[in-house]
Amino acid sequence: MFAVRETSSELSVLHIPEFCTWNISLESTLLDLPLSNCQIELTQQAKEVAKAFEENSMLPGVILTNQGNFVGIISRRLFFEKVNRRYGVEMFFKRPIEVLYKFAKPEELVLPASKLIVEAAQECLYRSAELIYEPVVVEIAPQTYKLLDVHQLMVAQSRIHQLTNKLLHKQTQAKLIQTEKMASLGRIVAEVAHEIRNPLNCIWGNLTFLLSYFEHLLQLMSVYEEEYSAPCPRIDALKKEIEFDFIQEDLPITLEGMELGASQLLKIVNGLHHFSHMDETKPAETDIHECVEMTLLILKNRFKNSIEVVKNYGELPLVSGYSGQLSQVFLNLLVNALDALTEYAADREIQTECLDNWQPQIEITTKVIETEDGKRVAICIADNGPGIAPENHQQIFDTFFTTKPAGKGTGMGLAISHQIVTEKHGGQLRMRSQPGKNTEFEILLPIVGTTD
């Protein structure tokens, strides 16, 4: 290595930032890295390049131009490799740099500034061994180029790798925590449902006998009146006092109401027991409509503000899956739709200028469709709420991502639902949304007995 003392006003060298002083993220591009911009005309002597390398120890190379237009690059490594050869100084040093450039014939890797760091690092590693440390040409704009040191690119790639590992660890921990929470919740719900079911079954079973006993008593009273038709003041007074005629008419209605209430309560308990099967170890043949109905029953109290549920149920075969986990998916999707419609309805009440006849609605459609992988059961849950902004579509299934205000959502419901559908059931979960019109989630599940 040698020093060159001559200076040239034609040489333009920008400051090169120190290593590891920039902030990057998983989505960082080449534009986020420190780039060098040392340009020299082909007609300038090679010693001007040596001068630039001496004054800027971090300079990976120079950009060669012809009347300001990009021609190519000469890297630090390649320049000194050629110049330090025997007779290299005599051959190249005081001649135009164009001579050395044509002699070396370097290969350049040109990448757009919008290229992700991860992708750029991969392309660099795919180069031949002798070029692996050559700087990368970054195209900032048409006919505007800068250089990136490969070492800086690899440092950035290493940082992104660390960030990815941290994120994966965080997501894994979050999934483990959520899984444990759901398993614990499932066990608690199952125990409570079991404790409620025993006395409820007693009430439900005895109501049938009670109705039968009452009918028999009425028959007995009717026979007594026929056999002993003579008036009795004491009996007539008691009948009037207890309003016997009203009791005779109202008691059957009361008992039927109790039977209906017990029936509904039994359905809710069965729904809770069905929903609590979050720790199932083996898939089983599952009735999708039963899962949806049980979930709607559990959420019955949430359907306020005149939210209408429209069911378009088709004829569905059984699917192989985990009923409790599928119920969790339906619950998450329905809760999101209910929250969106409730908030949208409240906003419209504040905006008194809304004079259309909009009514909040959730539509549930089930059918069998033909896909590239064969027949699938499709479950669509759609609402006519405000929709989801286009910029959020790509992130909607990311862990911790939420469009709800702070404190009103963990951002895990859709991520867990996506995991359950895709990983646990080999299906697909899709989202379609038109801002200001609607949002639709479509679940596609394999059918029992079909093969891809």
Side-chain angles (χ1 to χ4, degrees), residues 115-297:
K115 194 81 167 180
L116 291 175
I117 291 174
V118 175
E119 296 174 351
Q122 193 174 34
E123 291 197 33
C124 283
L125 293 175
Y126 285 162
R127 294 188 293 181
S128 59
E130 63 271 15
L131 299 175
I132 197 167
Y133 294 110
E134 288 292 290
V136 178
V137 182
V138 181
E139 185 177 12
I140 308 299
Q143 288 302 315
T144 303
Y145 300 88
K146 293 185 180 182
L147 290 185
L148 170 64
D149 193 318
V150 172
H151 176 65
Q152 294 184 357
L153 179 62
M154 294 306 166
V155 170
Q157 164 68 0
S158 176
R159 284 194 174 187
I160 290 177
H161 182 69
Q162 292 174 356
L163 289 174
T164 303
N165 285 339
K166 288 181 180 179
L167 180 61
L168 288 174
H169 179 72
K170 189 177 182 180
Q171 290 179 342
T172 302
Q173 290 296 104
K175 287 181 179 179
L176 288 174
I177 293 171
Q178 184 67 11
T179 301
E180 181 60 30
K181 284 183 177 179
M182 294 309 301
S184 299
L185 178 61
R187 288 191 291 269
I188 293 171
V189 171
E191 291 171 2
V192 172
H194 180 72
E195 292 299 321
I196 295 175
R197 181 185 284 181
N198 287 337
L200 185 58
N201 282 332
C202 178
I203 295 172
W204 172 255
N206 287 328
L207 272 174
T208 305
F209 294 112
L210 185 59
L211 283 168
S212 177
Y213 296 160
F214 175 69
E215 290 177 359
H216 292 162
L217 287 175
L218 287 181
Q219 291 175 3
L220 179 62
M221 292 288 295
S222 177
V223 172
Y224 265 107
E225 288 181 349
E226 290 176 2
E227 293 295 329
Y228 301 97
S229 57
C232 178
R234 185 179 175 185
I235 294 176
D236 292 340
L238 182 58
K239 281 185 174 181
K240 185 176 181 181
E241 181 181 348
I242 64 175
E243 298 181 343
F244 178 75
D245 293 338
F246 174 77
I247 291 175
Q248 196 172 11
E249 294 177 2
D250 189 62
L251 188 55
I253 299 174
T254 302
L255 291 175
E256 288 176 3
M258 292 174 63
E259 185 180 28
L260 179 62
S263 174
Q264 286 295 104
L265 186 56
L266 191 59
K267 287 181 180 178
I268 294 173
V269 172
N270 289 334
L272 288 173
H273 189 266
H274 177 87
F275 183 76
S276 67
H277 292 165
M278 295 300 296
D279 54 351
E280 297 164 301
T281 57
K282 293 182 180 179
E285 294 187 352
T286 303
D287 186 337
I288 292 297
H289 290 153
E290 181 183 3
C291 288
V292 173
E293 287 298 321
M294 291 297 182
T295 306
L296 288 172
L297 192 62

Side-chain angles (χ1 to χ4, degrees), residues 325-337:
Q325 294 184 18
L326 288 175
S327 297
Q328 174 72 40
V329 173
F330 299 144
L331 180 76
N332 290 339
L333 297 180
L334 287 168
V335 166
N336 283 342

Side-chain angles (χ1 to χ4, degrees), residues 10 39-44 63-71 98 143:
E10 299 179 32
Q39 299 186 13
I40 187 171
E41 281 285 320
L42 286 176
T43 55
Q44 290 184 256
I63 297 173
L64 303 180
T65 59
N66 183 13
Q67 296 182 354
N69 294 321
F70 175 79
V71 175
E98 182 179 10
Q143 288 302 315

Side-chain angles (χ1 to χ4, degrees), residues 71-131:
V71 175
I73 68 167
I74 289 289
S75 68
R76 175 187 289 272
R77 180 194 65 81
L78 183 61
F79 177 82
F80 285 111
E81 177 187 317
K82 300 303 181 185
V83 170
N84 285 337
R85 287 182 176 181
R86 189 175 184 182
Y87 306 118
V89 174
E90 291 80 0
M91 288 179 60
F92 304 117
F93 207 63
K94 292 187 178 181
R95 293 183 178 182
I97 190 64
E98 182 179 10
V99 177
L100 190 151
Y101 178 70
K102 289 183 177 180
F103 179 81
K105 296 180 180 179
E107 296 181 23
E108 296 100 7
L109 175 61
V110 182
L111 299 176
S114 59
K115 194 81 167 180
L116 291 175
I117 291 174
V118 175
E119 296 174 351
Q122 193 174 34
E123 291 197 33
C124 283
L125 293 175
Y126 285 162
R127 294 188 293 181
S128 59
E130 63 271 15
L131 299 175

